[in-house]
Amino acid sequence: MLAELFLDAAASCRDRSPLTHTLLVSAADDLTRGGVTAKVMAGSECDRGGTVPGLRFAGALHRLVLEGRAPTLAKHYPTAGGRPHPPTLWEDALPVLDEHTDELRALIASTVVQTNEPGRSAPLFGGLHTATRLAAENAGRRTPFCVKLLEVGASGGLNLRPHRVAYRVGDTVLGDPGSPLVLDTRWTGRPPVDLAPGLRLVGRAGCDLNPVDVSTRDGRLHLSSFVWADQLWRWERLQAALDLAALDPVPVRRAAGPEWLADHLARPERDVLTVVWHSVVWQYASPSDRAMGRAVLADAAARATPMAPLALLVFEPRRTHAPEKYEFQLLLKLWPGGVSLRLGAGAGHGIPFEWHTRPWT
C-alpha cells in the first residue's frame, strides 16, 4: 500500500518534476524489496493517501540537501546548484538514507506537506476583484467593498498579501509594482470585472493546524523543502514570497478551521466584504472538520446582509468527467444574492490559469 502511494505521487509529477518522479519510483521499488526506505518509513505504513507520504519523504531528503548535509546527493538538486542525473540519483540517495535513517523517519512522521504556493495568489487576486464588484452590485454601491480576508489552512500565510504582489498580465503590471514578488500570471482570458482599481484590505488572518513561522530559518527551510527541486522558477517565487512576508508580517494562528472560522464570522462588519479562502487544503481535512466547516459557513451566510456580505473563494482540485482526473478550479459563492460561480481552472500551483466564468455546479 505504501509503495502504491509513492507511485501515485510519482505519477503526479512525472511530466513536471523528473527528479522527484525518479526518486519516488526508485523509493517505491526499494520499499517493495524491504530496503532502507522501509526503515525510513517505519510507522507510516498505514498513512492515508491524503497525507502524501511520498512527498513527505522527498521533502525530508530535500531538506537535508538544503542544510548542506547531503553533498553527494546535492549534485542532483538545482536548488543547491546541482544538475539532475537520473541514472545515478538513487545510487547517491542510498547513503543519505542509511546515514540519516532515524532523523528522516522522525521528520517524515512529524511533518505535513506544506507547499504554501504563492503562485495561487494570482487567481485569488482576480477572484477577489470579482467578489468585491459583484457584492457592490448586489448592494447597489458604486464603489467596491473593502475586504477582510480569512484563510483556512494558511500554512505560512504567504497568500495573505494579494494586494502586495505585482501581477504581470500581458504588458500590464497590476497590484503593487514595487513588490519583491512578481507573478507572471500566464492568464488565458480575463476575470469578468475591471482589475484596475486597487484592492482595499482592512483585515487579514489565517489559521492552520501546523502553522509555519516564516520569520525563522526553520520555517523557511520547511516550506522550501517541499518545492520540487528541479522547478527553479517555483523555488525563486517562494524565496520572493518569503522576502515579502518579512516586510509585511501576518501571523498564522494554530487552530482548527471550523472553530477559528466560527469566532471570526460571529460578528458581520458593515461596509466590509468578508472573504473565506482556502487553496489545496480540502484533501487534508477530516470528514468531520469538513462537515463542521460547512455548518459554520452556512450559519454565517444566514446572517450576511447586502451591506455586510460574505464570500467563499476556493482554489481546490475537483474530479472531472475523465476517470481519476482532477482539475484545479477557482470557485466563488457570495451571500446574500445567491451568486455561485466557477471562475476558471488552472495548474495546481496557480499558474497558468484560464478564466471562463460559468455557474458553480
Side-chain angles (χ1 to χ4, degrees):
M1 177 63 176
L2 193 56
E4 292 175 4
L5 294 180
F6 270 56
L7 290 175
D8 288 344
S12 72
C13 59
R14 177 186 294 112
D15 300 325
R16 295 175 290 163
S17 176
L19 185 153
T20 309
H21 175 261
T22 301
L23 179 69
L24 294 181
V25 168
S26 300
D29 180 63
D30 192 55
L31 269 171
T32 302
R33 292 185 290 102
V36 66
T37 308
K39 297 178 182 177
V40 169
M41 297 302 299
S44 298
E45 295 89 348
C46 297
D47 285 3
R48 61 185 180 89
T51 67
V52 281
L55 296 186
R56 284 160 36 221
F57 171 86
L61 275 177
H62 192 190
R63 175 152 185 159
L64 291 184
V65 168
L66 294 175
E67 291 176 338
R69 295 194 290 142
T72 302
L73 185 58
K75 69 184 183 183
H76 296 275
Y77 281 67
T79 51
R83 188 172 184 176
H85 186 247
T88 60
L89 173 62
W90 187 246
E91 175 185 331
D92 290 331
L94 283 172
V96 180
L97 295 172
D98 278 320
E99 181 181 352
H100 300 281
T101 299
D102 293 340
E103 181 182 357
L104 287 168
R105 180 171 56 246
L107 183 60
I108 291 165
S110 65
T111 195
V112 294
V113 173
Q114 296 270 25
T115 52
N116 203 196
E117 174 55 55
R120 294 173 188 145
S121 280
L124 169 62
F125 177 75
L128 280 178
H129 274 279
T130 303
T132 60
R133 296 303 186 280
L134 293 180
E137 290 176 9
N138 187 48
R141 292 168 56 112
R142 294 184 178 180
T143 58
F145 279 93
C146 297
V147 173
K148 176 182 177 182
L149 185 60
L150 304 175
E151 185 175 14
V152 178
S155 185
L158 298 185
N159 286 314
L160 282 167
R161 302 166 183 83
H163 60 314
R164 297 292 307 276
V165 177
Y167 304 90
R168 187 175 294 119
V169 182
D171 296 329
T172 304
V173 176
L174 302 172
D176 180 0
S179 175
L181 176 58
V182 180
L183 298 179
D184 183 355
T185 61
R186 295 170 59 195
W187 283 350
T188 300
R190 294 289 186 274
V193 298
D194 181 14
L195 298 179
L199 288 170
R200 294 181 295 161
L201 268 69
V202 295
R204 295 171 290 165
C207 78
D208 197 282
L209 288 174
N210 299 280
V212 179
D213 184 352
V214 295
S215 69
T216 66
R217 178 177 181 273
D218 180 74
R220 293 174 69 105
L221 276 171
H222 184 69
L223 292 184
S224 298
S225 71
F226 288 111
V227 175
W228 292 333
D230 47 356
Q231 292 191 331
L232 274 179
W233 63 95
R234 284 185 59 217
W235 166 266
E236 292 165 355
R237 194 159 67 202
L238 176 64
Q239 305 314 305
L242 291 168
D243 290 342
L244 177 58
L247 297 173
D248 180 26
V250 183
V252 177
R253 181 181 171 191
R254 185 181 299 276
E259 292 85 352
W260 180 85
L261 266 184
D263 180 57
H264 279 269
L265 296 177
R267 295 165 295 280
E269 297 182 38
R270 184 175 176 80
D271 295 322
V272 173
L273 169 64
T274 300
V275 179
V276 177
W277 154 260
H278 59 80
S279 64
V280 196
V281 166
W282 208 234
Q283 71 191 64
Y284 302 109
S286 68
S288 61
D289 274 354
R290 294 180 189 182
M292 290 173 61
R294 290 190 185 101
V296 167
L297 199 62
D299 183 63
R303 295 194 303 273
T305 68
M307 296 308 297
L310 172 68
L312 173 67
L313 183 64
V314 304
F315 184 65
E316 295 285 352
R318 300 190 81 196
R319 192 183 296 273
T320 66
H321 295 298
E324 302 303 318
K325 294 291 185 181
Y326 293 82
E327 69 174 6
F328 291 81
Q329 299 181 2
L330 183 67
L331 306 170
L332 170 66
K333 284 184 180 290
L334 184 65
W335 299 277
V339 172
S340 187
L341 296 174
R342 178 184 185 275
L343 296 176
H349 299 134
I351 298 172
F353 187 84
E354 181 178 0
W355 295 92
H356 41 70
T357 303
R358 61 190 64 167
W360 174 357
T361 57

